């Protein structure tokens, strides 16, 4: 008499066990798919039929900088190392500039961590002396110029765009458009280059910088039909 209900109970336990396992597996797969959206890019072989979306995505400015080799510096502040990067950039030495900018960024976060700890102790002096340039819109603008000098124009475009979105101060807003226009032109995006040159002309005029306006206007004429 008890055999059939007992078997039925076993069946129900197995059934619900499988059902719960299936739900858990489904949730796990969903989490993997969601986390896959933020995973690191994977390099694929040239034998694939078509490139993945990751391969065609615009390279990120700061992520690209973090991949730059960092050379060991003596005991220097992030401000000093950034100034060395500025010097290399003006000399047209893009790779050397990027190396210094990456080192300056690493040093900055160490300095910021130290300053935060001192602030907890009631000492504001270290925090007040931190190099605010690293997190300003000016920094990606410098990176863009340096990346452009190494021929990495797509990364440069991302850097200039980042500086503009973060509201870089004038007249460097005009310069950012001018430099991004150059990078667009180098990647064959002539219409986007023309639009940026036009914005650069307008802003240089607004900032009352006729010499730079003329330079931007010359660039604009070179891409205008």
């Amino acid at each position: 008499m008890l055999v059939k209900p007992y078997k039925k109970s076993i069946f129900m336990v197995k059934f619900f066990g499988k059902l719960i396992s299936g739900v858990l597996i489904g949730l796990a797969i969903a989490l993997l798919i969601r986390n896959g959206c933020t995973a690191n890019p994977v390099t694929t072989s040239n034998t694939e039929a078509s490139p993945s979306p990751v391969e065609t995505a615009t390279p990120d400015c700061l992520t690209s900088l973090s991949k730059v080799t960092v050379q060991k510096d003596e005991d220097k502040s992030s401000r000093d190392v950034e100034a060395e990067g500025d010097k290399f950039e003006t000399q047209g030495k893009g790779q050397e500039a990027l190396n210094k900018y990456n080192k300056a960024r690493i040093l900055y976060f160490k300095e910021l961590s130290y300053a935060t700890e001192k602030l907890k102790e009631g000492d504001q002096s270290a925090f007040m002396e931190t190099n605010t340039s690293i997190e300003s819109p000016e920094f990606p603008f410098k990176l863009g110029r340096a990346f452009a000098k190494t021929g990495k124009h797509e990364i440069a475009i991302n850097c200039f765009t980042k500086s503009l979105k973060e509201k870089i101060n004038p007249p460097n807003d005009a310069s950012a458009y001018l430099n991004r226009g150059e990078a667009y032109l180098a990647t064959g995006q002539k219409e986007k280059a023309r639009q940026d040159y036009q914005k650069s002309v307008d802003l240089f005029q607004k900032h009352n910088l006729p010499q730079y306006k003329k330079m931007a206007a010359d660039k604009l004429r070179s891409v205008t039909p």
Side-chain angles (χ1 to χ4, degrees), residues 59-128:
D60 180 72
C61 182
L62 296 179
T63 302
S64 299
L65 177 66
S66 67
K67 297 176 183 178
V68 174
T69 303
V70 176
Q71 295 176 350
K72 185 176 180 180
D73 281 292
E74 296 182 1
D75 189 19
K76 296 179 181 178
S77 70
S78 64
R79 187 175 282 104
D80 291 338
V81 176
E82 183 183 5
E84 292 175 354
D86 293 344
K87 185 176 180 180
F88 279 127
E89 194 278 318
T90 56
Q91 294 173 347
K93 299 177 180 179
Q95 191 59 52
E96 290 87 342
L98 289 170
N99 184 284
K100 292 295 183 182
Y101 289 147
N102 195 19
K103 179 64 176 178
R105 191 164 179 262
I106 292 170
L107 288 172
Y108 163 73
F109 285 115
K110 289 181 179 179
E111 293 165 356
L112 187 61
S113 178
Y114 170 77
T116 302
E117 290 302 316
K118 297 297 289 183
L119 187 62
K120 291 178 182 177
E121 300 172 3
D123 183 359
Q124 300 181 12
S125 59
F127 194 82
M128 296 297 291

Side-chain angles (χ1 to χ4, degrees), residues 4 8 14 23 33 36 49 60-61 88 112 147 165:
K4 289 183 179 180
K8 184 177 180 181
K14 288 183 178 179
V23 172
I33 293 173
D60 180 72
C61 182
F88 279 127
L112 187 61
F147 273 119
K165 284 184 177 180

Side-chain angles (χ1 to χ4, degrees), residues 171 173-179 181 193-224:
D173 54 351
S175 295
Y177 277 116
L178 181 63
N179 281 271
R194 190 194 66 76
Q195 293 173 7
D196 272 8
Y197 288 151
Q198 182 63 67
K199 290 178 182 177
S200 180
V201 169
D202 296 340
L203 285 171
F204 278 131
Q205 180 173 343
K206 178 181 177 181
H207 302 326
N208 195 25
L209 294 169
Q211 182 178 354
Y212 291 99
K213 176 192 171 184
K214 181 181 182 305
M215 178 175 62
D218 289 341
K219 297 285 186 181
L220 178 60
R221 278 192 293 271
S222 70
V223 294
T224 301

Side-chain angles (χ1 to χ4, degrees), residues 2-197:
L2 296 175
V3 173
K4 289 183 179 180
Y6 177 72
K7 287 184 177 180
K8 184 177 180 181
S9 299
I10 293 175
F11 172 78
M12 294 300 291
V13 169
K14 288 183 178 179
F15 173 77
F16 283 109
K18 291 181 179 180
L19 179 62
I20 293 170
S21 297
V23 172
L24 290 175
I25 291 171
L27 288 172
I29 292 173
L31 286 171
L32 286 172
I33 293 173
R34 186 186 67 179
N35 291 337
C37 295
T38 57
N40 291 329
V42 178
T43 303
T44 56
S45 64
N46 294 329
T47 58
E48 291 186 355
S50 60
S52 67
V54 172
E55 292 175 309
T56 57
T58 303
D60 180 72
C61 182
L62 296 179
T63 302
S64 299
L65 177 66
S66 67
K67 297 176 183 178
V68 174
T69 303
V70 176
Q71 295 176 350
K72 185 176 180 180
D73 281 292
E74 296 182 1
D75 189 19
K76 296 179 181 178
S77 70
S78 64
R79 187 175 282 104
D80 291 338
V81 176
E82 183 183 5
E84 292 175 354
D86 293 344
K87 185 176 180 180
F88 279 127
E89 194 278 318
T90 56
Q91 294 173 347
K93 299 177 180 179
Q95 191 59 52
E96 290 87 342
L98 289 170
N99 184 284
K100 292 295 183 182
Y101 289 147
N102 195 19
K103 179 64 176 178
R105 191 164 179 262
I106 292 170
L107 288 172
Y108 163 73
F109 285 115
K110 289 181 179 179
E111 293 165 356
L112 187 61
S113 178
Y114 170 77
T116 302
E117 290 302 316
K118 297 297 289 183
L119 187 62
K120 291 178 182 177
E121 300 172 3
D123 183 359
Q124 300 181 12
S125 59
F127 194 82
M128 296 297 291
E129 294 174 1
T130 54
N131 183 13
T132 57
S133 170
I134 298 295
E135 293 200 75
S136 75
E138 189 77 25
F139 194 65
F141 173 67
K142 293 179 180 182
L143 297 181
R145 288 169 59 90
F147 273 119
K149 285 180 170 62
T150 65
K152 297 177 181 178
H153 299 290
E154 289 185 356
I155 302 176
I157 290 169
N158 184 280
C159 292
F160 295 132
T161 301
K162 182 176 178 64
S163 71
L164 289 165
K165 284 184 177 180
E166 293 178 1
K167 307 297 182 183
I168 188 171
N169 291 328
N172 279 342
D173 54 351
S175 295
Y177 277 116
L178 181 63
N179 281 271
R180 193 175 70 173
E182 291 282 86
Y184 275 136
L185 190 61
T187 56
Q189 301 179 73
K190 192 173 181 180
E191 178 55 28
K192 287 186 176 181
R194 190 194 66 76
Q195 293 173 7
D196 272 8
Y197 288 151

